[in-house]
Amino acid sequence: MKNKSNSILGMAFFGPALVLMTIFLFIPMILTLIYSFTDYFALNPKLTHFVGLENFSTIFKDELFTTAFLNTVKFVLIIVPLQTLGALGLALLINKVTVCKRYFKVAFFIPVVMSLAVVSNLWMQIYSPEGILNTILTKFGFDAQPFIYGANQALPSIAFMSVWQGVGYQMIIFLGGLQAINPALYEAAEMDHASAWSKFKNITLPELKPLCVFVFITVTIGAFRMIVQPMVMTGGGPSHSTYTIVYDIYETGTVNWEIGLASAMAIVFTVFVVILTIIQTILTKDKEDKHENKKAKNL
Amino acid sequence: MKTKKQKIFNGILVAVMLVMSLFFLFPVIWMLANSFKPDSAITADMNSAKAFIPPVPGEGFFDNYKAILFNTKFIKYMLNTLFYAAILIVSGIIVNGLAGYALAKIKFPFRERWIAIIMMLMIIPTETIITINFMFVSKMGLLNTVFGYVLPMIVNPFNIFLFRQVFVSLPDDVWEAAQLDYCSPVKYFFTMVLPMSKTVVATVSVFTFLNVWNDYLWPSLVFTSSDLLTAQIGLNSITANENTTMGQTLAVITLITIPVIIIYSLFSKQIVEGVVSTGSKEG
C-alpha cells in the first residue's frame, strides 16, 4: 500500500520535469541521432531518405566544415594554455599578496561579470582600425594592426579577448583550491628549509593537480562551444577565419534548414565534448576515491 | 615575524600587481570614461591619457545615457528580460525542485536509474539539440512568443541534481510528522522543504537570473520581433543601428552590465562558493 502511494507520489513530483525533459531533451537527442543518417531538409520533409553514413563523409569532405573544425581546434589551442596558466599565475600571486587582496580579486573578476555580447561589442570598439588599441600602438611606433578585420589576426584576437573575459573565473577556482591546502604541509617544509620553488613543486602543484585537470577540461569544452563572439564581431569572417563548429551547426540547421547535415555535425561535436568529459572523470577519479576513504575513516 | 627582505618583496609584488590590474582593466576603464563623452571628444582624446579620464560633469554629461534610455527600446528590453527571468526562476524552482525532492526522498520505481540519466544529461551540451528545438518551436508556431523562449529552458538537469543533493540531507521525521497532520505532500514541499533549503533556492535563482540575462544563442533564434527581445539581443540591434554613436554604444553596454553587478555584489558569497564548489566537487 505504502509502496504504491509512494510511486504515484514520486511520479507526480518527478512528472512535470519528466514531460519537459522528454519534449525538449530526450526526443531532440534521439531525433538528432536519427536525422544524422538522413537527408532531412526541413522545408521539404516529405523527400527524406535514409542515407547511412553519407552525411558524415560529406561534412569531413566539406571545406567549410573542415575550416570550422580547424578554427575551433586552433581557438582551443590558443585559449587553453593561456587561460589555465594565466588563472593559476594570478591565483598564486593574489594568494601571496598581503594588502589589497580583495581589490585584486574583484579587479580580475570584473570581465567575467560582463556578458559575451557586451564584451564582444566593447572589444569591437577597442580593435577598430581607428580604435584605442591601434592609437596606442602607433603612438609607440608600431604599425596599426587589422585585428578582427584581418584573416590572419581575427581568430587570435577573439581568443585573446575570450581569455581576458574568462580568466577571472578559473582564478577564483584556483584561489579556493590554494586556500584548501593544509598549512601544516608548508610549515613542515619550512622546518626542512625547503626553497620556495621546491615548496611549489612538491606541495602546491600536487595538491592542485585535480583542480588543474578540472580547469583544463572545462576551459577546453567552453572553447569548443564558442559561437557568440564571432557571431557578434565578425560574422564568421573575414574569409571564414573565425567560423567555428557550433557556428556551422547553427547556420546549416537554422538558416539553411539542412537538418540532416546539421545533425551529423552536432553528433561529431557532442562526441568530442563527451570524450573530454570522460577523460576528466577518469583523471579526477582517484582523488574522489581518496576523499571517500577519508570520509569513511572519519565515520 | 617578517624580515625586511620579505617586506620589500611584498611591496614590489603589490606595485607590480597594481600596474597589471590597471593594464588588465584598461578596456573597462576606457568604456566607462568615454561613455560620458560625445563622439568628437572620444576621437580627440584618443591620442592622450585623456582617453582614460571621464569628462568633467556638466552640460550633456549624461547625453549618451539619456539617448539610450529614452530614444531606444532599451528599457523595454530590460523589462522583457526581467520578466522572462522571473518566470524561469519560479517555474524552474517548482519543476526542478519537485523532481529533485522525488529523487532524494520518495522511493518510486527506477529512481536510481533516473538519477544516473540526469547525471548523463548534464554532459550533453545544449548546442547539440538547439537546431531540433528551434525546429520544434517554430513548427509549434511558438516563434516570437514568450512560451517558445521559456518552455525549453525550464527543466535543467544541473538544478535537479543540485536540489537533490541538498534535499537528501533533510531530516525524515519532519515529513512523517507532517503526514500525521494530514499535510498534503505538495503543501509540505512548499511550506516546509523550500523554506528549509533557502540557500539552494537562492543559488538556483541567482544562476537562473544570470543565465537568462547573459544568454545569447537561444533568444536570438526565438525572438525576431523587436517587442520581445532580451537585453543582450536588443543590445545588438541598438549597436547595429547606424544612428547609434560610439559613446552611446559604450553607454548601453555599461547600462546592461549594471544589473549583473548588483546581483554579484549582493550574492557574491553564494556565487563564489558556487564557483569554487563546482571546482572541488567535480575536480
Side-chain angles (χ1 to χ4, degrees), chain A residues 6-7 23-24 32 40 103-104 107 115 118 121 125-126 130 135 139 164 225 253-254 270 287, chain B residues 17 21 24-25 27 46-47 106 109 127-128 131-133 136 139 214 232 236 239 246 256 283:
Chain A
N6 259 344
S7 36
I23 302 176
F24 294 110
T32 306
Y40 189 87
Y103 160 74
F104 288 127
S115 73
V118 163
N121 269 297
Q125 303 288 337
I126 288 172
E130 290 96 33
T135 312
K139 216 172 167 71
W164 177 81
R225 295 168 61 176
T254 64
T270 312
K287 186 213 163 197
Chain B
M17 294 272 295
S21 68
F24 188 82
L25 286 179
M46 200 88 89
N47 263 310
I106 307 171
E127 289 83 357
T128 307
T131 323
I132 307 283
N133 269 341
F136 267 14
K139 285 205 170 161
N214 292 333
Q232 305 293 333
N236 261 8
T239 56
M246 210 196 296
I256 213 172

mmCIF file of all heavy atoms in Angstrom, chain A residues 6-7 23-24 32 40 103-104 107 115 118 121 125-126 130 135 139 164 225 253-254 270 287, chain B residues 17 21 24-25 27 46-47 106 109 127-128 131-133 136 139 214 232 236 239 246 256 283:
data_model
loop_
_atom_site.group_PDB
_atom_site.id
_atom_site.type_symbol
_atom_site.label_atom_id
_atom_site.label_comp_id
_atom_site.label_asym_id
_atom_site.label_seq_id
_atom_site.Cartn_x
_atom_site.Cartn_y
_atom_site.Cartn_z
ATOM 1 N N ASN A 6 3.687 5.670 -2.761
ATOM 2 C CA ASN A 6 4.973 6.314 -2.992
ATOM 3 C C ASN A 6 5.300 6.435 -4.465
ATOM 4 O O ASN A 6 5.831 7.450 -4.905
ATOM 5 C CB ASN A 6 6.089 5.520 -2.303
ATOM 6 C CG ASN A 6 6.494 6.184 -1.003
ATOM 7 O OD1 ASN A 6 6.172 7.347 -0.768
ATOM 8 N ND2 ASN A 6 7.177 5.439 -0.163
ATOM 9 N N SER A 7 4.972 5.387 -5.242
ATOM 10 C CA SER A 7 5.319 5.509 -6.662
ATOM 11 C C SER A 7 4.423 6.526 -7.354
ATOM 12 O O SER A 7 4.867 7.233 -8.253
ATOM 13 C CB SER A 7 5.284 4.148 -7.371
ATOM 14 O OG SER A 7 4.266 3.360 -6.885
ATOM 15 N N ILE A 23 10.210 16.191 -23.978
ATOM 16 C CA ILE A 23 9.960 17.006 -25.175
ATOM 17 C C ILE A 23 11.214 17.762 -25.618
ATOM 18 O O ILE A 23 11.523 17.816 -26.803
ATOM 19 C CB ILE A 23 8.824 18.018 -24.921
ATOM 20 C CG1 ILE A 23 7.551 17.271 -24.508
ATOM 21 C CG2 ILE A 23 8.557 18.855 -26.167
ATOM 22 C CD1 ILE A 23 6.416 18.190 -24.152
ATOM 23 N N PHE A 24 11.930 18.337 -24.657
ATOM 24 C CA PHE A 24 12.995 19.264 -25.048
ATOM 25 C C PHE A 24 14.408 18.711 -24.903
ATOM 26 O O PHE A 24 15.361 19.386 -25.248
ATOM 27 C CB PHE A 24 12.850 20.572 -24.281
ATOM 28 C CG PHE A 24 11.604 21.321 -24.633
ATOM 29 C CD1 PHE A 24 10.566 21.433 -23.725
ATOM 30 C CD2 PHE A 24 11.446 21.874 -25.900
ATOM 31 C CE1 PHE A 24 9.404 22.109 -24.060
ATOM 32 C CE2 PHE A 24 10.295 22.551 -26.238
ATOM 33 C CZ PHE A 24 9.266 22.666 -25.314
ATOM 34 N N THR A 32 18.154 13.992 -33.288
ATOM 35 C CA THR A 32 19.442 14.415 -33.828
ATOM 36 C C THR A 32 20.204 13.201 -34.343
ATOM 37 O O THR A 32 20.771 13.222 -35.443
ATOM 38 C CB THR A 32 20.272 15.133 -32.745
ATOM 39 O OG1 THR A 32 19.498 16.192 -32.211
ATOM 40 C CG2 THR A 32 21.562 15.685 -33.312
ATOM 41 N N TYR A 40 17.297 14.782 -44.249
ATOM 42 C CA TYR A 40 16.143 15.592 -43.843
ATOM 43 C C TYR A 40 16.375 17.076 -44.134
ATOM 44 O O TYR A 40 17.340 17.687 -43.683
ATOM 45 C CB TYR A 40 15.900 15.388 -42.342
ATOM 46 C CG TYR A 40 14.629 15.994 -41.830
ATOM 47 C CD1 TYR A 40 13.435 15.292 -41.875
ATOM 48 C CD2 TYR A 40 14.618 17.281 -41.285
ATOM 49 C CE1 TYR A 40 12.265 15.843 -41.395
ATOM 50 C CE2 TYR A 40 13.443 17.849 -40.814
ATOM 51 C CZ TYR A 40 12.272 17.124 -40.870
ATOM 52 O OH TYR A 40 11.118 17.681 -40.401
ATOM 53 N N TYR A 103 40.746 43.833 -3.526
ATOM 54 C CA TYR A 103 40.723 44.639 -4.755
ATOM 55 C C TYR A 103 41.176 43.802 -5.943
ATOM 56 O O TYR A 103 40.559 43.815 -6.998
ATOM 57 C CB TYR A 103 41.617 45.876 -4.604
ATOM 58 C CG TYR A 103 42.020 46.449 -5.948
ATOM 59 C CD1 TYR A 103 41.094 47.152 -6.718
ATOM 60 C CD2 TYR A 103 43.297 46.218 -6.479
ATOM 61 C CE1 TYR A 103 41.437 47.613 -7.968
ATOM 62 C CE2 TYR A 103 43.647 46.687 -7.729
ATOM 63 C CZ TYR A 103 42.710 47.389 -8.469
ATOM 64 O OH TYR A 103 43.048 47.841 -9.722
ATOM 65 N N PHE A 104 42.278 43.046 -5.774
ATOM 66 C CA PHE A 104 42.801 42.266 -6.893
ATOM 67 C C PHE A 104 41.807 41.205 -7.337
ATOM 68 O O PHE A 104 41.603 40.996 -8.526
ATOM 69 C CB PHE A 104 44.135 41.615 -6.515
ATOM 70 C CG PHE A 104 45.261 42.595 -6.414
ATOM 71 C CD1 PHE A 104 46.043 42.666 -5.278
ATOM 72 C CD2 PHE A 104 45.511 43.457 -7.468
ATOM 73 C CE1 PHE A 104 47.074 43.585 -5.194
ATOM 74 C CE2 PHE A 104 46.543 44.382 -7.393
ATOM 75 C CZ PHE A 104 47.322 44.445 -6.246
ATOM 76 N N ALA A 107 39.136 42.997 -9.245
ATOM 77 C CA ALA A 107 39.614 43.586 -10.497
ATOM 78 C C ALA A 107 39.706 42.535 -11.601
ATOM 79 O O ALA A 107 39.254 42.754 -12.717
ATOM 80 C CB ALA A 107 40.982 44.242 -10.274
ATOM 81 N N SER A 115 28.672 40.115 -19.997
ATOM 82 C CA SER A 115 28.231 39.033 -20.871
ATOM 83 C C SER A 115 29.096 38.983 -22.130
ATOM 84 O O SER A 115 29.795 39.936 -22.465
ATOM 85 C CB SER A 115 26.780 39.243 -21.260
ATOM 86 O OG SER A 115 26.695 40.296 -22.186
ATOM 87 N N VAL A 118 28.268 41.757 -24.516
ATOM 88 C CA VAL A 118 28.809 43.041 -24.078
ATOM 89 C C VAL A 118 30.306 43.113 -24.373
ATOM 90 O O VAL A 118 30.794 44.081 -24.971
ATOM 91 C CB VAL A 118 28.541 43.254 -22.566
ATOM 92 C CG1 VAL A 118 29.425 44.354 -22.016
ATOM 93 C CG2 VAL A 118 27.086 43.574 -22.325
ATOM 94 N N ASN A 121 30.970 43.497 -28.050
ATOM 95 C CA ASN A 121 30.697 44.852 -28.533
ATOM 96 C C ASN A 121 31.774 45.834 -28.086
ATOM 97 O O ASN A 121 32.188 46.705 -28.849
ATOM 98 C CB ASN A 121 29.334 45.328 -28.034
ATOM 99 C CG ASN A 121 28.230 44.987 -29.016
ATOM 100 O OD1 ASN A 121 28.237 45.466 -30.146
ATOM 101 N ND2 ASN A 121 27.327 44.135 -28.600
ATOM 102 N N GLN A 125 34.964 47.953 -30.509
ATOM 103 C CA GLN A 125 35.417 49.340 -30.470
ATOM 104 C C GLN A 125 36.934 49.396 -30.258
ATOM 105 O O GLN A 125 37.626 50.187 -30.867
ATOM 106 C CB GLN A 125 34.732 50.108 -29.328
ATOM 107 C CG GLN A 125 33.230 50.097 -29.383
ATOM 108 C CD GLN A 125 32.709 50.959 -30.509
ATOM 109 O OE1 GLN A 125 33.395 51.864 -30.968
ATOM 110 N NE2 GLN A 125 31.515 50.673 -30.971
ATOM 111 N N ILE A 126 37.421 48.539 -29.348
ATOM 112 C CA ILE A 126 38.841 48.585 -28.999
ATOM 113 C C ILE A 126 39.713 48.127 -30.166
ATOM 114 O O ILE A 126 40.759 48.695 -30.441
ATOM 115 C CB ILE A 126 39.089 47.737 -27.738
ATOM 116 C CG1 ILE A 126 38.489 48.479 -26.547
ATOM 117 C CG2 ILE A 126 40.571 47.468 -27.523
ATOM 118 C CD1 ILE A 126 38.471 47.708 -25.286
ATOM 119 N N GLU A 130 40.563 52.582 -36.184
ATOM 120 C CA GLU A 130 40.971 53.837 -35.549
ATOM 121 C C GLU A 130 40.734 53.779 -34.055
ATOM 122 O O GLU A 130 40.582 54.798 -33.393
ATOM 123 C CB GLU A 130 40.203 55.030 -36.148
ATOM 124 C CG GLU A 130 40.586 55.365 -37.569
ATOM 125 C CD GLU A 130 39.623 54.727 -38.544
ATOM 126 O OE1 GLU A 130 38.431 54.601 -38.200
ATOM 127 O OE2 GLU A 130 40.059 54.339 -39.647
ATOM 128 N N THR A 135 45.591 53.239 -31.779
ATOM 129 C CA THR A 135 46.139 54.556 -31.449
ATOM 130 C C THR A 135 47.356 54.409 -30.548
ATOM 131 O O THR A 135 48.388 55.039 -30.766
ATOM 132 C CB THR A 135 45.076 55.415 -30.744
ATOM 133 O OG1 THR A 135 43.866 55.340 -31.485
ATOM 134 C CG2 THR A 135 45.524 56.847 -30.623
ATOM 135 N N LYS A 139 51.265 55.217 -31.513
ATOM 136 C CA LYS A 139 51.932 56.189 -30.663
ATOM 137 C C LYS A 139 53.307 55.689 -30.219
ATOM 138 O O LYS A 139 54.255 56.446 -30.082
ATOM 139 C CB LYS A 139 51.079 56.465 -29.435
ATOM 140 C CG LYS A 139 51.169 57.914 -28.997
ATOM 141 C CD LYS A 139 50.175 58.216 -27.918
ATOM 142 C CE LYS A 139 50.478 59.528 -27.280
ATOM 143 N NZ LYS A 139 50.231 60.675 -28.083
ATOM 144 N N TRP A 164 40.784 37.078 -21.763
ATOM 145 C CA TRP A 164 40.603 38.259 -20.905
ATOM 146 C C TRP A 164 39.275 38.162 -20.156
ATOM 147 O O TRP A 164 39.189 38.433 -18.970
ATOM 148 C CB TRP A 164 40.642 39.518 -21.770
ATOM 149 C CG TRP A 164 40.409 40.797 -21.019
ATOM 150 C CD1 TRP A 164 41.336 41.478 -20.295
ATOM 151 C CD2 TRP A 164 39.190 41.534 -20.943
ATOM 152 N NE1 TRP A 164 40.751 42.599 -19.754
ATOM 153 C CE2 TRP A 164 39.437 42.663 -20.135
ATOM 154 C CE3 TRP A 164 37.906 41.361 -21.474
ATOM 155 C CZ2 TRP A 164 38.464 43.604 -19.847
ATOM 156 C CZ3 TRP A 164 36.935 42.293 -21.174
ATOM 157 C CH2 TRP A 164 37.212 43.413 -20.377
ATOM 158 N N ARG A 225 32.823 25.209 -27.586
ATOM 159 C CA ARG A 225 31.439 25.626 -27.816
ATOM 160 C C ARG A 225 31.339 27.049 -28.337
ATOM 161 O O ARG A 225 30.243 27.594 -28.451
ATOM 162 C CB ARG A 225 30.659 25.517 -26.517
ATOM 163 C CG ARG A 225 30.528 24.085 -26.028
ATOM 164 C CD ARG A 225 30.016 24.000 -24.621
ATOM 165 N NE ARG A 225 28.689 24.586 -24.495
ATOM 166 C CZ ARG A 225 27.990 24.562 -23.354
ATOM 167 N NH1 ARG A 225 28.489 23.993 -22.308
ATOM 168 N NH2 ARG A 225 26.807 25.112 -23.299
ATOM 169 N N GLY A 253 21.731 24.325 -39.759
ATOM 170 C CA GLY A 253 20.440 23.880 -39.243
ATOM 171 C C GLY A 253 19.364 24.942 -39.268
ATOM 172 O O GLY A 253 18.239 24.679 -39.712
ATOM 173 N N THR A 254 19.686 26.157 -38.805
ATOM 174 C CA THR A 254 18.602 27.118 -38.613
ATOM 175 C C THR A 254 18.524 28.159 -39.720
ATOM 176 O O THR A 254 17.529 28.856 -39.828
ATOM 177 C CB THR A 254 18.754 27.852 -37.260
ATOM 178 O OG1 THR A 254 19.951 28.612 -37.302
ATOM 179 C CG2 THR A 254 18.825 26.865 -36.116
ATOM 180 N N THR A 270 29.247 16.608 -30.295
ATOM 181 C CA THR A 270 28.899 16.025 -28.997
ATOM 182 C C THR A 270 29.883 14.934 -28.602
ATOM 183 O O THR A 270 30.280 14.843 -27.435
ATOM 184 C CB THR A 270 27.478 15.445 -29.039
ATOM 185 O OG1 THR A 270 26.620 16.416 -29.613
ATOM 186 C CG2 THR A 270 26.984 15.094 -27.651
ATOM 187 N N LYS A 287 41.141 10.989 -7.005
ATOM 188 C CA LYS A 287 41.049 11.973 -5.926
ATOM 189 C C LYS A 287 39.733 11.778 -5.169
ATOM 190 O O LYS A 287 39.694 11.797 -3.945
ATOM 191 C CB LYS A 287 41.098 13.383 -6.514
ATOM 192 C CG LYS A 287 41.144 14.447 -5.447
ATOM 193 C CD LYS A 287 40.410 15.699 -5.881
ATOM 194 C CE LYS A 287 40.099 16.587 -4.697
ATOM 195 N NZ LYS A 287 39.073 17.557 -5.028
ATOM 196 N N MET B 17 51.480 44.124 -9.225
ATOM 197 C CA MET B 17 50.103 43.667 -9.413
ATOM 198 C C MET B 17 49.157 44.824 -9.702
ATOM 199 O O MET B 17 48.211 44.698 -10.469
ATOM 200 C CB MET B 17 49.623 42.930 -8.154
ATOM 201 C CG MET B 17 50.342 41.644 -7.878
ATOM 202 S SD MET B 17 49.600 40.252 -8.702
ATOM 203 C CE MET B 17 48.022 40.186 -7.907
ATOM 204 N N SER B 21 46.877 45.057 -12.904
ATOM 205 C CA SER B 21 45.420 45.120 -12.867
ATOM 206 C C SER B 21 44.909 46.311 -13.668
ATOM 207 O O SER B 21 43.852 46.240 -14.294
ATOM 208 C CB SER B 21 44.920 45.180 -11.420
ATOM 209 O OG SER B 21 45.287 46.393 -10.833
ATOM 210 N N PHE B 24 45.081 45.291 -17.220
ATOM 211 C CA PHE B 24 44.021 44.310 -17.432
ATOM 212 C C PHE B 24 42.675 45.006 -17.599
ATOM 213 O O PHE B 24 41.863 44.618 -18.432
ATOM 214 C CB PHE B 24 43.986 43.358 -16.233
ATOM 215 C CG PHE B 24 43.077 42.196 -16.402
ATOM 216 C CD1 PHE B 24 43.484 41.071 -17.100
ATOM 217 C CD2 PHE B 24 41.796 42.202 -15.852
ATOM 218 C CE1 PHE B 24 42.647 39.979 -17.253
ATOM 219 C CE2 PHE B 24 40.957 41.116 -16.001
ATOM 220 C CZ PHE B 24 41.383 39.999 -16.709
ATOM 221 N N LEU B 25 42.452 46.039 -16.803
ATOM 222 C CA LEU B 25 41.140 46.675 -16.798
ATOM 223 C C LEU B 25 41.027 47.828 -17.786
ATOM 224 O O LEU B 25 40.003 48.492 -17.826
ATOM 225 C CB LEU B 25 40.812 47.181 -15.388
ATOM 226 C CG LEU B 25 40.436 46.092 -14.381
ATOM 227 C CD1 LEU B 25 40.149 46.715 -13.031
ATOM 228 C CD2 LEU B 25 39.218 45.321 -14.864
ATOM 229 N N PRO B 27 40.282 48.141 -20.900
ATOM 230 C CA PRO B 27 39.066 48.258 -21.714
ATOM 231 C C PRO B 27 37.867 48.755 -20.908
ATOM 232 O O PRO B 27 37.062 49.550 -21.409
ATOM 233 C CB PRO B 27 38.823 46.821 -22.190
ATOM 234 C CG PRO B 27 40.132 46.136 -22.079
ATOM 235 C CD PRO B 27 40.790 46.751 -20.894
ATOM 236 N N MET B 46 41.554 60.339 -27.892
ATOM 237 C CA MET B 46 42.176 59.042 -28.132
ATOM 238 C C MET B 46 43.699 59.116 -28.059
ATOM 239 O O MET B 46 44.352 58.170 -27.644
ATOM 240 C CB MET B 46 41.736 58.546 -29.507
ATOM 241 C CG MET B 46 41.896 57.070 -29.708
ATOM 242 S SD MET B 46 40.451 56.165 -29.165
ATOM 243 C CE MET B 46 39.434 56.131 -30.631
ATOM 244 N N ASN B 47 44.265 60.296 -28.462
ATOM 245 C CA ASN B 47 45.717 60.404 -28.577
ATOM 246 C C ASN B 47 46.435 60.692 -27.284
ATOM 247 O O ASN B 47 47.650 60.736 -27.250
ATOM 248 C CB ASN B 47 46.070 61.486 -29.605
ATOM 249 C CG ASN B 47 46.336 60.859 -30.946
ATOM 250 O OD1 ASN B 47 47.112 59.918 -31.032
ATOM 251 N ND2 ASN B 47 45.667 61.348 -31.972
ATOM 252 N N ILE B 106 11.626 10.281 -2.201
ATOM 253 C CA ILE B 106 10.485 9.388 -2.441
ATOM 254 C C ILE B 106 10.975 8.149 -3.178
ATOM 255 O O ILE B 106 11.615 8.266 -4.232
ATOM 256 C CB ILE B 106 9.387 10.111 -3.262
ATOM 257 C CG1 ILE B 106 9.026 11.427 -2.573
ATOM 258 C CG2 ILE B 106 8.157 9.223 -3.388
ATOM 259 C CD1 ILE B 106 8.122 12.314 -3.385
ATOM 260 N N PRO B 109 9.608 3.823 -8.553
ATOM 261 C CA PRO B 109 10.313 2.879 -9.417
ATOM 262 C C PRO B 109 11.391 3.552 -10.267
ATOM 263 O O PRO B 109 11.196 4.683 -10.735
ATOM 264 C CB PRO B 109 9.204 2.316 -10.312
ATOM 265 C CG PRO B 109 7.950 2.576 -9.590
ATOM 266 C CD PRO B 109 8.156 3.790 -8.760
ATOM 267 N N GLU B 127 24.160 23.012 -27.297
ATOM 268 C CA GLU B 127 24.314 23.295 -28.724
ATOM 269 C C GLU B 127 23.951 22.085 -29.584
ATOM 270 O O GLU B 127 23.585 22.228 -30.744
ATOM 271 C CB GLU B 127 25.756 23.725 -29.040
ATOM 272 C CG GLU B 127 26.137 25.097 -28.519
ATOM 273 C CD GLU B 127 26.556 25.068 -27.068
ATOM 274 O OE1 GLU B 127 26.494 23.986 -26.445
ATOM 275 O OE2 GLU B 127 26.926 26.128 -26.537
ATOM 276 N N THR B 128 24.055 20.886 -28.986
ATOM 277 C CA THR B 128 23.740 19.672 -29.738
ATOM 278 C C THR B 128 22.308 19.681 -30.250
ATOM 279 O O THR B 128 22.034 19.274 -31.376
ATOM 280 C CB THR B 128 23.924 18.435 -28.829
ATOM 281 O OG1 THR B 128 25.222 18.483 -28.265
ATOM 282 C CG2 THR B 128 23.750 17.157 -29.608
ATOM 283 N N THR B 131 19.293 23.023 -32.748
ATOM 284 C CA THR B 131 18.658 23.045 -34.066
ATOM 285 C C THR B 131 17.278 22.396 -34.010
ATOM 286 O O THR B 131 16.298 22.952 -34.521
ATOM 287 C CB THR B 131 19.507 22.258 -35.079
ATOM 288 O OG1 THR B 131 20.860 22.463 -34.798
ATOM 289 C CG2 THR B 131 19.193 22.655 -36.478
ATOM 290 N N ILE B 132 17.235 21.198 -33.383
ATOM 291 C CA ILE B 132 15.970 20.469 -33.333
ATOM 292 C C ILE B 132 14.960 21.224 -32.479
ATOM 293 O O ILE B 132 13.782 21.328 -32.834
ATOM 294 C CB ILE B 132 16.192 19.049 -32.762
ATOM 295 C CG1 ILE B 132 17.291 18.332 -33.545
ATOM 296 C CG2 ILE B 132 14.903 18.266 -32.767
ATOM 297 C CD1 ILE B 132 16.874 17.807 -34.873
ATOM 298 N N ASN B 133 15.420 21.769 -31.345
ATOM 299 C CA ASN B 133 14.497 22.530 -30.508
ATOM 300 C C ASN B 133 13.954 23.748 -31.253
ATOM 301 O O ASN B 133 12.784 24.090 -31.117
ATOM 302 C CB ASN B 133 15.185 22.970 -29.210
ATOM 303 C CG ASN B 133 14.999 21.950 -28.108
ATOM 304 O OD1 ASN B 133 14.092 21.111 -28.177
ATOM 305 N ND2 ASN B 133 15.840 21.994 -27.109
ATOM 306 N N PHE B 136 11.324 22.447 -33.573
ATOM 307 C CA PHE B 136 10.122 22.152 -32.773
ATOM 308 C C PHE B 136 9.329 23.417 -32.510
ATOM 309 O O PHE B 136 8.142 23.502 -32.798
ATOM 310 C CB PHE B 136 10.532 21.603 -31.404
ATOM 311 C CG PHE B 136 10.618 20.112 -31.329
ATOM 312 C CD1 PHE B 136 10.630 19.337 -32.472
ATOM 313 C CD2 PHE B 136 10.675 19.480 -30.093
ATOM 314 C CE1 PHE B 136 10.721 17.967 -32.392
ATOM 315 C CE2 PHE B 136 10.762 18.118 -30.001
ATOM 316 C CZ PHE B 136 10.786 17.360 -31.149
ATOM 317 N N LYS B 139 7.778 24.874 -35.537
ATOM 318 C CA LYS B 139 6.649 24.088 -36.051
ATOM 319 C C LYS B 139 5.427 24.207 -35.153
ATOM 320 O O LYS B 139 4.293 24.100 -35.616
ATOM 321 C CB LYS B 139 7.054 22.613 -36.190
ATOM 322 C CG LYS B 139 7.946 22.409 -37.390
ATOM 323 C CD LYS B 139 7.893 20.998 -37.934
ATOM 324 C CE LYS B 139 8.629 20.966 -39.261
ATOM 325 N NZ LYS B 139 9.016 19.622 -39.650
ATOM 326 N N ASN B 214 22.380 36.705 -19.531
ATOM 327 C CA ASN B 214 23.535 36.652 -20.429
ATOM 328 C C ASN B 214 23.326 35.782 -21.656
ATOM 329 O O ASN B 214 24.153 35.770 -22.545
ATOM 330 C CB ASN B 214 24.765 36.141 -19.668
ATOM 331 C CG ASN B 214 25.234 37.140 -18.633
ATOM 332 O OD1 ASN B 214 25.017 38.337 -18.781
ATOM 333 N ND2 ASN B 214 25.853 36.651 -17.583
ATOM 334 N N GLN B 232 20.323 41.338 -24.190
ATOM 335 C CA GLN B 232 21.529 41.051 -24.978
ATOM 336 C C GLN B 232 21.263 41.145 -26.477
ATOM 337 O O GLN B 232 22.094 41.648 -27.238
ATOM 338 C CB GLN B 232 22.060 39.652 -24.659
ATOM 339 C CG GLN B 232 22.336 39.400 -23.201
ATOM 340 C CD GLN B 232 23.477 40.231 -22.649
ATOM 341 O OE1 GLN B 232 24.382 40.624 -23.367
ATOM 342 N NE2 GLN B 232 23.419 40.524 -21.371
ATOM 343 N N ASN B 236 22.380 44.225 -29.460
ATOM 344 C CA ASN B 236 22.917 44.127 -30.813
ATOM 345 C C ASN B 236 22.111 44.918 -31.815
ATOM 346 O O ASN B 236 22.666 45.514 -32.731
ATOM 347 C CB ASN B 236 22.966 42.666 -31.241
ATOM 348 C CG ASN B 236 24.348 42.120 -31.072
ATOM 349 O OD1 ASN B 236 25.191 42.794 -30.506
ATOM 350 N ND2 ASN B 236 24.574 40.933 -31.558
ATOM 351 N N THR B 239 23.250 48.532 -31.241
ATOM 352 C CA THR B 239 24.587 48.904 -31.718
ATOM 353 C C THR B 239 24.709 48.741 -33.237
ATOM 354 O O THR B 239 25.541 49.382 -33.852
ATOM 355 C CB THR B 239 25.688 48.071 -31.033
ATOM 356 O OG1 THR B 239 25.408 46.688 -31.234
ATOM 357 C CG2 THR B 239 25.767 48.356 -29.555
ATOM 358 N N MET B 246 29.354 56.001 -31.080
ATOM 359 C CA MET B 246 30.282 55.192 -30.300
ATOM 360 C C MET B 246 30.022 55.382 -28.808
ATOM 361 O O MET B 246 29.983 54.420 -28.040
ATOM 362 C CB MET B 246 31.712 55.616 -30.643
ATOM 363 C CG MET B 246 32.724 54.499 -30.515
ATOM 364 S SD MET B 246 34.402 55.131 -30.476
ATOM 365 C CE MET B 246 34.583 55.878 -32.069
ATOM 366 N N ILE B 256 23.775 47.759 -19.447
ATOM 367 C CA ILE B 256 23.348 46.367 -19.459
ATOM 368 C C ILE B 256 24.119 45.552 -18.427
ATOM 369 O O ILE B 256 23.658 44.498 -17.985
ATOM 370 C CB ILE B 256 23.539 45.799 -20.883
ATOM 371 C CG1 ILE B 256 22.469 44.770 -21.192
ATOM 372 C CG2 ILE B 256 24.865 45.154 -21.076
ATOM 373 C CD1 ILE B 256 22.518 44.344 -22.636
ATOM 374 N N GLY B 283 36.268 18.367 -9.526
ATOM 375 C CA GLY B 283 37.705 18.192 -9.663
ATOM 376 C C GLY B 283 38.133 17.128 -8.710
ATOM 377 O O GLY B 283 38.906 17.049 -7.951
#
